[in-house]
Amino acid sequence: MSSLRAPLRAPLLPSPGSRPTEWVASPGLTPYEAALAEMELRAERIAAGLADERVWLLEHPPLYTAGTSAKPDGLLAARFPVHRTGRGGQFTYHGPGQRVGYVMLDLKRRRPDVRAFVAALEEWLIAALKSLGVEAETREDRVGVWVPRPDKPKAASGAAAEDKIAAIGVRVRRWATFHGVALNVSPDLAHFSGIVPCGIAAAHYGVTSLADLGVDATMADVDKALRSAFEPIFGATARVGSLALPAQ
């Protein structure tokens, strides 16, 4: 039986006097390669002390990404473009209706502890989901954020069914973080069928979304919940408008 992961011991607040984290959203669908280039450049500037920290919210066109632990058998059918990426983890899907949050923070200004950073991301997502009416949890033996599904069949072993509602995959370079989280708001869940999401193939572990759970939340509702849940854990934010990248 899976056990809950230990909660974050303390917030990852920045050092006193730090500027607020920029809070940016992009309209429409942002091309993945353009987003990756922008994100990596920003992380480099943050590490060098030349730019403020940033959370960047966006949606991508349908695609799969392969993390550093991705195995060939994790890609079942290349229904969409596949992008190899330097983040941790295995295969995941991005697409319309999924809120991706690229989190570019300087852990030198906070706590140089990658495990604590990942735990903070998990608690952020769980708090945001709770404000939207969804009780989500983490598991010691599985990555991501999960929702118990007593309405679905159990495993042959008797293990309860659970669905992943949010994925986490990060990279840290010179203590500057990039990549981040992906929260399923209303994506086409059939698009996940081309991969083994995050390498978890057991039949009683699936994928869900707010819409699948009957939560009628707009992307604006989700963004508001994410920002409200972010600040107690990571500190103040300052909205700086939108960031639109040219189509490739």
Side-chain angles (χ1 to χ4, degrees):
M1 185 173 181
S2 298
S3 60
L4 287 169
R5 190 169 299 160
L8 181 68
R9 289 176 296 174
L12 254 66
L13 297 173
S15 55
S18 296
R19 291 170 58 85
T21 300
E22 290 186 1
W23 195 265
V24 185
S26 286
L29 302 179
T30 302
Y32 184 78
E33 291 182 349
L36 184 62
E38 172 68 25
M39 176 174 55
E40 289 193 342
L41 176 61
R42 183 67 178 217
E44 289 177 5
R45 289 176 55 78
I46 290 170
L50 301 175
D52 291 337
E53 297 174 303
R54 171 182 284 178
V55 172
W56 182 15
L57 303 179
L58 48 77
E59 293 174 83
H60 287 304
L63 59 93
Y64 297 131
T65 66
T68 54
S69 301
K71 301 176 182 177
D73 59 2
L75 181 63
L76 304 178
R79 300 177 55 189
F80 306 111
V82 179
H83 297 267
R84 302 285 168 177
T85 180
R87 63 159 175 80
Q90 301 190 42
F91 280 99
T92 193
Y93 166 78
H94 294 315
Q98 182 189 72
R99 198 39 137 189
V100 173
Y102 289 135
V103 182
M104 293 159 273
L105 303 181
D106 185 354
L107 296 186
K108 298 191 302 294
R109 309 179 201 178
R110 298 167 179 274
R111 193 191 321 165
D113 185 331
V114 176
R115 288 181 180 272
F117 172 61
V118 172
L121 293 177
E122 292 172 338
E123 293 215 0
W124 170 38
L125 290 167
I126 288 170
L129 287 164
K130 185 173 184 178
S131 73
L132 294 166
V134 174
E135 295 291 335
E137 301 170 343
T138 56
R139 292 288 181 258
E140 285 287 354
D141 59 340
R142 279 175 273 132
V143 297
V145 176
W146 296 78
V147 178
R149 296 304 301 265
D151 54 316
K152 291 189 173 184
K154 295 182 178 181
S157 64
E162 297 182 342
D163 285 346
K164 178 183 283 190
I165 193 168
I168 297 173
V170 302
R171 187 170 183 182
V172 179
R173 183 185 294 154
R174 294 168 58 198
W175 293 114
T177 70
F178 52 114
H179 295 281
V181 305
L183 174 60
N184 296 332
V185 180
S186 58
D188 185 340
L189 296 180
H191 288 180
F192 287 86
S193 64
I195 59 171
V196 179
C198 299
I200 300 171
H204 62 297
Y205 296 145
V207 181
T208 191
S209 67
L210 291 174
D212 182 52
L213 295 172
V215 177
D216 184 17
T218 66
M219 202 63 76
D221 295 331
V222 171
D223 289 355
K224 181 179 179 181
L226 286 171
R227 187 175 181 184
S228 295
F230 181 91
E231 292 190 334
I233 299 172
F234 294 102
T237 62
R239 187 168 181 83
V240 296
S242 63
L243 176 61
L245 299 182
Q248 294 175 306

